[in-house]
Structures are given as structure tokens and as C-alpha cells.
Amino acid sequence: MPELPEVETVRSTLAPVLRGRTLERVAVLDGRLTRPEAPEAVAAELQGELVADVRRRGKYLIVVFASGRHLLVHLRMTGSFQHPVAEGPDPHRRAVVTLDDGSDVAYRDVRRFGTWILLEPGELEAYLSDRIGGEPLERAFTTARFARALEGRRAPIKGALLDQRAVAGVGNIYADEALWLARIHPERPAGELDAEEVAALRRAIRRVLRLGIERQGATLRDYRDANGRAGAMQHEFRVYGRGGEPCERCGTPIAKTRVAGRGTWFCPACQAPPSGRS
DNA sequence: AGTCCGACCCGAACGC
DNA sequence: TGCGTTCGGGTCGGAC
């Protein structure tokens, strides 16, 4: 499931392929990808664009064109890029881009949740700031800023992490890992964390995301970088998917529950539950 | 305004 | 073996 480290790994493998190249031909094979825009219309607009850079904000990939336009790609659950393109038919191929060096880049997405949105010059900042909060690995993501984003919120801290407003790029897996590292129970009301806990959570988020990037992301099933390589972060999970196994800190079996509608793993001993509850 | 929940998809895992 | 059912995951939009 691409979260920040996976998207960053895709970015770092896709950027050298695209940077400085012109999109000679674009075929969008799935109408859902560009909804509500017509796939042929977006494909036609992309043709001829020169790629200046490939960036990332939260879980969004941003193809920056020299024209000032941006192609915003969200991989959602199963989106991926492929370069070089695998031989043979692929029922999950949703778009193919031919570059001016003659090579093709394919976009595939089994579950078809992913989206491509073409933004005109000047539209990017507003689009992103309406949807996502601070970039957790940047200096500007301070404890004070994080605390302000959580202030007054009664939703469980895990839910606050999953909605991208407080901090961008954390999904189900890294949320569980960060909360375990910070010793915070996933159901604690977000606004009730004290300053020390917010600081610990910020550090934990940054630590698990950095490790995820170092390991080139986590491959549970589908995830691959743009060159087709799997990540290794799945070997570093302390709680995610490990129900019943002993906690590495205290030996208590890892518990599984459901928080904010998502499967949630935590240590019931070293992540203390909200006060007044058992 | 904040929070919750269903919709969007489809392959895998499971139950019978 | 084969069928049907359930699950999961990020984000959006509508309901509360």
C-alpha cells in the first residue's frame, strides 16, 4: 500500500526516467484514471509536455512540466509505474507514455483507485493545501505545528494520522508502527496527547518514514518501484500484521482491533489505553 | 467544524 | 472442485 516511503521510492526511480524527456505519445486506457476529465482529452493535453522534475507531497507524485503545468498522480492502493515495460499483455495496464528517447513508461493499477489530475500553472498549491497538511520530513514540521493540528480533536489519534490534514503521507501501516514506537494507544483522543507525547509521536513518525525510505518501501503484495523492484520495509514491522506475536519491548502478545474503520495492531501493555477505559 | 460512513474496485482468503 | 462471501485500503462526498 503506497504510503509516503513507497511514493518517495517511486519518485526517486521515476525521476531519472522522466526528467528532461518530452512526452511524445500518451495513451490513457482506463476512463476512470482521469475522471471527471475525458481520458483522450487529458492524453492529448499531456502530449508534447517537457518534464522538468518529479516531486512528491504526502502520497501525491507530482510530474512538473516546463510549461508550469503539473500532473498529480495518486497511486491509492495498487497503482505503479513500470520502466522498462514488461513484455506481454497486462490486463491491469491503465496508461502508456512514450518518451522522446523511444522508451515507454507504463502505469498499471489492479484496483483502479489511482488518479491522474492535470493542473494548470498556479493551481498546485491550492489543490494540495486543501487536502494535506505538513510534510513530516521537512524542518517546518515542528512539534508545535503538529500539536496545533491535533489540538481540540476528539477523534482517535490513529484516525487523525490517517486523515492527511495533520500530517501528510502516513497511512495505515506507518501509523501503527509510529504509535507503537511512541508508546501511544491508537484510540487515545488526538487532542488529549500531552506535549511530550506529541513530540514523541513526531519523532516516531519521522523515524519510521525515514526507515521506510531507506528500505525502499514495504512490499506486502503489489508494491514495486518504477524499476520493478520490491522494498524490504516489511521485515522491519514491529506491530503491523503481527497479531498474537510477542511485543519486542515487553513480550505481551500484539493485539489486533479496528480503529477509524481500519485494521489496527498495537501492544496492549506498552501502549496505555485512554484513561477511563479498559 | 469535526466526525462518521458508504462508495469506489477487485484479488485473495476463507467458508461451505 | 467450485461456488459464494468477506475483507481491505486511501480519499471523497454526503450525512449527521
Side-chain angles (χ1 to χ4, degrees):
Chain A
M1 318 306 147
E3 303 180 30
L4 187 152
E6 288 74 30
V7 178
E8 177 58 26
T9 304
V10 171
R11 189 208 63 75
S12 68
T13 50
L14 192 59
V17 171
L18 293 184
R19 204 181 283 132
R21 301 263 68 94
T22 295
L23 313 188
E24 295 243 292
R25 196 180 134 56
V26 178
V28 176
L29 311 172
D30 176 10
R32 285 192 53 84
L33 186 58
T34 57
R35 226 167 48 167
E37 306 301 326
E40 321 78 58
V42 174
E45 293 294 332
L46 287 171
Q47 261 158 236
E49 289 287 348
L50 166 65
V51 178
D53 202 2
V54 183
R55 298 193 189 136
R56 180 194 56 74
R57 267 287 273 130
K59 300 174 195 170
Y60 288 94
L61 276 172
I62 305 166
V63 182
V64 182
F65 296 116
S67 64
R69 288 166 144 185
H70 298 95
L71 177 66
L72 212 50
V73 176
H74 201 302
L75 304 172
R76 290 297 218 282
M77 309 299 309
T78 51
S80 66
F81 283 93
Q82 217 177 47
H83 186 277
V85 177
E87 295 288 326
D90 178 358
H92 305 305
R93 189 168 296 158
R94 309 300 179 198
V96 181
V97 176
T98 303
L99 306 176
D100 63 350
D101 63 2
S103 71
D104 282 347
V105 176
Y107 175 79
R108 64 191 311 272
D109 189 350
V110 172
R111 294 188 193 169
R112 302 169 67 208
F113 277 14
T115 50
W116 284 19
I117 296 169
L118 180 60
L119 297 177
E120 294 302 320
E123 293 180 341
L124 181 69
E125 288 319 311
Y127 187 94
L128 291 176
S129 64
D130 281 353
R131 288 168 176 76
I132 64 178
E135 199 59 37
L137 298 181
E138 287 181 358
R139 290 180 65 93
F141 182 65
T142 60
T143 299
R145 180 173 174 184
F146 190 28
R148 262 199 310 280
L150 298 177
E151 200 174 29
R153 296 189 59 169
R154 282 175 299 176
I157 182 60
K158 165 126 185 204
L161 293 178
L162 293 182
D163 126 13
Q164 302 291 293
R165 310 274 335 148
V167 51
V170 177
N172 200 43
I173 293 174
Y174 292 90
D176 281 3
E177 294 298 315
L179 288 167
W180 179 85
L181 204 55
R183 305 181 190 234
I184 295 169
H185 192 284
E187 292 181 292
R188 293 277 305 284
E192 290 180 15
L193 300 189
D194 66 31
E196 201 171 307
E197 290 171 321
V198 173
L201 183 54
R202 171 184 169 277
R203 274 198 306 276
I205 288 168
R206 289 163 63 94
R207 188 164 155 194
V208 297
L209 294 178
R210 284 211 188 93
L211 183 61
I213 292 170
E214 263 177 48
R215 294 291 181 271
Q216 318 256 40
T219 297
L220 293 179
R221 189 170 298 144
D222 306 273
Y223 168 76
R224 291 287 188 280
D225 71 18
N227 300 322
R229 281 191 280 269
M233 181 63 189
Q234 65 278 10
H235 305 305
E236 309 283 350
F237 294 164
R238 303 295 213 281
V239 284
Y240 183 85
R242 302 187 64 160
E245 294 180 42
C247 170
E248 282 182 25
R249 274 191 306 243
C250 72
T252 304
I254 298 301
K256 178 175 184 196
T257 181
R258 182 166 287 266
V259 179
R262 296 288 171 250
T264 298
W265 288 267
F266 66 101
C267 172
C270 52
Q271 292 171 262
S275 54
R277 309 196 33 205
S278 60

